[in-house]
Amino acid sequence: MAAKAEAGLFDSIFLADQLALGDDIVSGPRTGLEPVTMLAALATGTKRIGLIATASTTYTEPFNLARQFASIDHISGGRVGWNIVTSWLATAAGNYGGDKPVSHADRYARGEEFMTVVKALWESWAEDAILDDRAAGVYARPGAIKRIDHQGDFYQVAGPLNVPRGPQGRPVLVQAGSSETGRDFAARHAEAIFTAQMEKATAQTFYKDLKARVTAAGRSVDQALILPGLSPLIAGTEAEAARLADELGTLTDPEVGRKRMSARFGGHDFSHLPLDKPLSVEDFPDPETIQAARSRTEVIVGLVRREKPTLRELLAMLAGARGHHVFAGTPEQVADLMVDWFEDGAADGFNIMPPILPSMLEIFTAEVVPILRARGLFRSEYEGETLRDHYGLNQP
Amino acid sequence: MAAKAEAGLFDSIFLADQLALGDDIVSGPRTGLEPVTMLAALATGTKRIGLIATASTTYTEPFNLARQFASIDHISGGRVGWNIVTSWLATAAGNYGGDKPVSHADRYARGEEFMTVVKALWESWAEDAILDDRAAGVYARPGAIKRIDHQGDFYQVAGPLNVPRGPQGRPVLVQAGSSETGRDFAARHAEAIFTAQMEKATAQTFYKDLKARVTAAGRSVDQALILPGLSPLIAGTEAEAARLADELGTLTDPEVGRKRMSARFGGHDFSHLPLDKPLSVEDFPDPETIQAARSRTEVIVGLVRREKPTLRELLAMLAGARGHHVFAGTPEQVADLMVDWFEDGAADGFNIMPPILPSMLEIFTAEVVPILRARGLFRSEYEGETLRDHYGLNQP
């Protein structure tokens, strides 16, 4: 799949993650290999495409994470990105010594200090640290590799990192938090921001808000790219696309979806709701009461408020793309939607989530990309070598 | 290098590790990429050779380690091995929140419980857990994936692992501890044992002792392979090999070696010792007083007792192979030494540490391997697919 995305000249691929097995493993292979090792393996199997993996600041030692990502940046020739997450699943906490998840505020306080540590580690080797003068027997310049001596509330890390500075200086930093705290975190640190937006209006509001926060944080808005998810179901005609969407909907199991939605809403019981009656906002707990991944629940409740779907319809919408924008149409319609969002201040680019793999990735590459290219909005070949090059990001 | 070792039909390659940068980085590139990510990358670049990496039980979460190694076992098609280490460097402790290293006893107590947790995680998916019945919408057999609910002194881990059981059931477990505690740990857990032995007599004593411990632990001796390190300097004639050894010796910097030896002996000051006077045992601290990697210091003191080298000579001997057996000779002499150790109860195989890479690896493969093969002691092609196959180890 990575090779297909590379053949299609995508900027990058992205691996999500979850630190515990879900109950729904009985119904489907909803688990993958561990993303960091997977990324290292894909670095050998690809040449130009960017490689982004999710890793948690909550249950990883900063020295280990900084070191593994620096290694992959070397292995891939400067193509690695890190999707920074804080872990909120209670089942994940159970795999790391906790009997309950870390609170939202604590997760972000720890995450903030984690960023200070890993950034310092990635900067602990000066750019010209390696001299490699073999005749003189000198490998590194004395003084060009420095301890970081971090002493904080959560972490004490001496450093320096024991891996030389990578080709990108540090991985491209990606983030997807959408709460108030999450947006401020993204504004301070993220160079690419993934976001789930089910419609253009909310995407525009999010875009404007986040760019304002980036400016307030003293950063340039073109160094924090906003990339909403988009799950395009593509067919030759609008009618055929609609038929395909219906067919996918009938393949979902509403009882599996009901359980997943319950987990998303902090264990709220949805078992009494009939499948085929229009939902109302009162059927859901107030998103304000949700400790974890609150913003995704706000997206869902917003959709219920606007569109009043039945539970069956809602679960079908959430089944594949899980709260991201789902769109069924012709290649022209998909391209039009992307251009519209891009030109109208809703997106700097997209995280394409093909609803069927690999076929919908192949169709997107073959049918949608040429339209975007004809409009001057998609490359004809890779121009740079690194993920920073592909995204137009500065070297730290 | 991995591809060259694979072309030479080696069982496996092995990546050592250290969780902190040494001061001697100024003198040479004594740091590599992070071994676990490196192994994942090598899994894509090779097809049959086993892949072993060092990872520490002291500064890693067991859930993260179990998951990453299970992933690489899948990525490599069953070729992964884990060299289990406990971390003793004070500088490593400083990178993980500690102001002093964990004591020897605590490291092993924690390591023992770590093994219980990761073995349980690797067994949390039954062999027939995946049904993948797409027509019925059933991926995993209900009840075939079980929580582990580990509650111990150091770790609380609920499980199950969120990666399916790997092709080898679990990674091949490798260990190199040589203290009393370390040997008992190896006897209980290790399927391959790396060891530094500078002469055949001590290797035989170690071999006999460890196999007895394996039997006492209720395991079969052929499931715990003893693999001493061997650093062979190979040339067409004995005189040429000796000349090469001298040349390598003159390329070492004794002042760098002096500092390294000081670090090895817990910071003991060797700065007053003249370079060219024969050493005596009194020049060294009692190995019994060394908290960390004590067995390697015993090897060095034993060598001083037997051979009374000058400091310059000792440092040259330790410079490349760091306490492992160094041998300079013709291909026939190297093969004879290996056969002698193998037949005389000193080794089940060897961890070959070529003193110059890649040239000495190429010469070993081209010149020594055919002699071993002619004596019926080396394969002509890979017969199995997994590292367990190559080593003749049972599937857990």
Side-chain angles (χ1 to χ4, degrees):
Chain A
M1 227 90 80
K4 280 182 203 293
E6 184 170 68
L9 304 178
F10 277 54
D11 290 325
S12 53
I13 57 164
F14 162 58
L15 306 176
D17 196 31
Q18 192 165 296
L19 293 175
L21 192 70
D23 286 341
D24 53 2
I25 187 68
V26 168
S27 318
R30 298 190 73 89
T31 183
L33 298 178
E34 189 280 327
V36 172
T37 46
M38 189 66 186
L39 218 59
L42 291 173
T44 320
T46 56
K47 290 198 188 320
R48 299 295 285 276
I49 196 165
L51 305 163
I52 303 173
T54 300
S56 169
T57 59
T58 311
Y59 301 120
T60 317
E61 290 280 353
F63 195 85
N64 290 341
L65 184 140
R67 193 175 175 219
Q68 292 200 323
F69 275 86
S71 285
I72 300 175
D73 205 37
H74 282 287
I75 293 167
S76 65
R79 295 185 286 130
V80 79
W82 169 33
N83 179 40
I84 309 159
V85 299
T86 60
S87 299
W88 50 271
L89 278 178
T91 48
N95 289 330
Y96 296 91
D99 51 4
K100 58 179 182 180
V102 184
S103 77
H104 187 271
D106 269 13
R107 276 191 286 125
Y108 273 102
R110 182 180 280 265
E112 191 64 38
E113 190 181 324
F114 196 103
M115 294 311 297
T116 302
V117 175
V118 294
K119 284 180 175 176
L121 287 170
W122 287 320
E123 282 162 20
S124 60
W125 290 56
E127 277 192 270
D128 62 352
I130 297 175
L131 191 62
D132 197 18
D133 180 345
R134 297 178 189 203
V138 178
Y139 177 66
R141 281 179 212 278
I145 305 170
K146 294 207 171 82
R147 293 165 61 97
I148 68 166
D149 286 324
H150 176 87
Q151 295 283 342
D153 294 335
F154 300 101
Y155 303 106
Q156 292 80 44
V157 180
L161 196 60
N162 56 352
V163 171
R165 176 183 282 255
Q168 292 190 114
R170 64 174 181 236
V172 170
L173 301 177
V174 182
Q175 222 260 345
S178 298
S179 66
E180 286 289 311
T181 325
R183 289 182 194 205
D184 285 336
F185 186 94
R188 279 193 299 279
H189 302 293
E191 299 171 294
I193 294 138
F194 293 158
T195 177
Q197 301 293 340
M198 296 188 98
E199 51 155 14
K200 183 176 144 190
T202 60
Q204 286 171 314
T205 307
F206 177 84
Y207 187 99
K208 202 173 160 188
D209 176 75
L210 203 71
K211 295 280 183 174
R213 290 176 200 247
V214 168
T215 303
R219 298 175 60 214
S220 166
V221 290
D222 66 359
Q223 295 296 305
L225 310 172
I226 297 178
L227 310 172
L230 172 62
S231 184
L233 197 62
I234 307 160
T237 65
E238 200 173 335
E240 174 65 8
R243 199 197 59 72
L244 255 176
D246 284 346
E247 187 185 335
L248 278 185
T250 63
L251 290 172
T252 62
D253 180 338
E255 295 316 313
V256 171
R258 207 195 281 263
K259 274 188 228 156
R260 271 187 209 147
M261 200 163 70
S262 171
R264 190 172 279 293
F265 279 88
H268 185 81
D269 184 9
F270 294 104
S271 62
H272 63 285
L273 290 181
L275 279 170
D276 295 305
K277 206 186 111 190
L279 292 165
S280 79
V281 170
E282 287 69 40
D283 294 324
F284 294 82
D286 183 348
E288 288 294 314
T289 66
I290 307 295
Q291 268 294 315
R294 185 185 300 161
S295 51
R296 203 64 68 86
T297 64
E298 285 165 356
V299 166
I300 295 169
V301 172
L303 181 136
V304 168
R305 182 179 297 116
R306 283 193 314 279
E307 306 189 10
K308 301 191 176 36
T310 66
L311 181 58
R312 190 188 302 277
E313 287 164 348
L314 177 68
L315 295 176
M317 278 187 264
L318 299 178
R322 301 185 137 193
H324 288 271
H325 192 67
V326 175
F327 182 80
T330 64
E332 289 73 19
Q333 288 175 317
V334 172
D336 285 345
L337 179 141
M338 293 174 72
V339 172
D340 181 44
W341 282 42
F342 175 69
E343 293 184 341
D344 235 13
D348 294 317
F350 294 88
N351 200 356
I352 299 297
M353 308 165 71
I356 310 170
L357 284 167
S359 64
M360 280 292 156
L361 171 60
E362 290 164 352
I363 293 170
F364 184 91
T365 300
E367 306 288 339
V368 180
V369 166
I371 301 171
L372 296 172
R373 186 174 291 135
R375 298 191 194 172
L377 294 170
F378 203 96
R379 65 173 62 88
S380 299
E381 59 187 327
Y382 286 114
E383 283 146 31
E385 299 290 328
T386 68
L387 178 53
R388 290 190 177 279
D389 291 338
H390 302 341
Y391 276 176
L393 295 171
N394 299 335
Q395 187 84 356
Chain B
M1 225 90 81
K4 281 182 201 290
E6 184 171 68
L9 304 177
F10 277 53
D11 290 326
S12 52
I13 58 163
F14 162 59
L15 306 177
D17 196 31
Q18 194 165 294
L19 293 175
L21 193 70
D23 287 340
D24 53 2
I25 187 67
V26 168
S27 317
R30 299 190 73 89
T31 183
L33 298 179
E34 190 278 328
V36 172
T37 45
M38 189 67 187
L39 217 60
L42 292 172
T44 319
T46 57
K47 288 194 185 329
R48 301 294 285 276
I49 197 165
L51 304 163
I52 304 173
T54 299
S56 168
T57 59
T58 310
Y59 300 119
T60 318
E61 289 281 351
F63 195 85
N64 289 342
L65 184 140
R67 194 177 175 218
Q68 293 202 322
F69 275 87
S71 284
I72 300 175
D73 206 36
H74 283 286
I75 293 168
S76 65
R79 295 186 284 133
V80 80
W82 169 33
N83 179 41
I84 310 158
V85 299
T86 60
S87 299
W88 50 270
L89 279 178
T91 47
N95 289 331
Y96 296 92
D99 50 3
K100 58 181 183 180
V102 184
S103 78
H104 187 272
D106 269 12
R107 277 192 287 128
Y108 273 102
R110 181 179 280 265
E112 191 65 37
E113 191 182 324
F114 195 103
M115 295 309 297
T116 302
V117 175
V118 293
K119 284 180 175 177
L121 287 170
W122 287 320
E123 282 161 19
S124 60
W125 289 57
E127 277 192 272
D128 62 353
I130 298 176
L131 191 62
D132 197 18
D133 180 344
R134 298 180 188 201
V138 179
Y139 178 66
R141 280 178 213 279
I145 305 170
K146 294 208 172 83
R147 291 165 62 96
I148 69 166
D149 286 323
H150 175 87
Q151 296 282 342
D153 294 335
F154 301 101
Y155 302 107
Q156 291 80 44
V157 181
L161 197 60
N162 55 352
V163 172
R165 176 182 282 255
Q168 293 190 115
R170 64 174 182 234
V172 169
L173 301 178
V174 181
Q175 221 262 346
S178 296
S179 65
E180 286 289 311
T181 324
R183 290 181 194 207
D184 284 336
F185 186 94
R188 279 192 299 278
H189 302 294
E191 299 171 294
I193 294 138
F194 293 158
T195 176
Q197 301 292 340
M198 295 190 98
E199 50 155 14
K200 183 176 146 192
T202 60
Q204 287 171 314
T205 306
F206 177 83
Y207 187 99
K208 202 172 159 188
D209 175 75
L210 202 71
K211 294 280 183 175
R213 291 177 199 246
V214 169
T215 303
R219 298 175 61 215
S220 166
V221 290
D222 67 0
Q223 294 298 304
L225 309 173
I226 296 178
L227 310 173
L230 173 62
S231 184
L233 198 63
I234 308 161
T237 65
E238 201 172 334
E240 174 64 8
R243 197 197 61 74
L244 256 177
D246 284 346
E247 187 185 335
L248 277 186
T250 63
L251 289 173
T252 63
D253 180 338
E255 294 317 313
V256 172
R258 207 196 282 262
K259 274 188 228 156
R260 273 187 206 147
M261 200 162 71
S262 170
R264 189 173 279 293
F265 280 88
H268 184 82
D269 183 9
F270 293 106
S271 63
H272 63 284
L273 289 182
L275 279 171
D276 295 305
K277 205 186 112 191
L279 293 165
S280 81
V281 169
E282 286 70 38
D283 294 323
F284 293 82
D286 183 348
E288 288 295 314
T289 65
I290 307 295
Q291 267 294 316
R294 184 186 300 161
S295 50
R296 202 64 68 84
T297 63
E298 285 165 355
V299 166
I300 295 170
V301 173
L303 181 138
V304 168
R305 183 180 296 114
R306 284 193 316 279
E307 305 190 11
K308 301 188 177 36
T310 65
L311 181 60
R312 190 189 300 278
E313 288 164 347
L314 177 67
L315 295 176
M317 278 187 265
L318 299 178
R322 302 186 139 194
H324 287 272
H325 192 67
V326 175
F327 182 80
T330 65
E332 290 73 18
Q333 288 174 319
V334 172
D336 284 345
L337 178 140
M338 293 174 72
V339 173
D340 181 45
W341 282 41
F342 176 68
E343 293 184 341
D344 236 13
D348 293 319
F350 294 89
N351 199 357
I352 300 297
M353 307 165 71
I356 309 170
L357 283 168
S359 65
M360 280 292 157
L361 171 60
E362 290 165 351
I363 293 170
F364 184 91
T365 300
E367 306 287 341
V368 179
V369 165
I371 302 171
L372 297 171
R373 187 174 290 133
R375 297 189 195 175
L377 294 169
F378 202 95
R379 64 173 62 88
S380 299
E381 58 186 328
Y382 286 113
E383 283 146 31
E385 299 291 328
T386 69
L387 179 53
R388 291 190 176 279
D389 292 338
H390 302 340
Y391 275 176
L393 295 171
N394 299 334
Q395 187 85 354

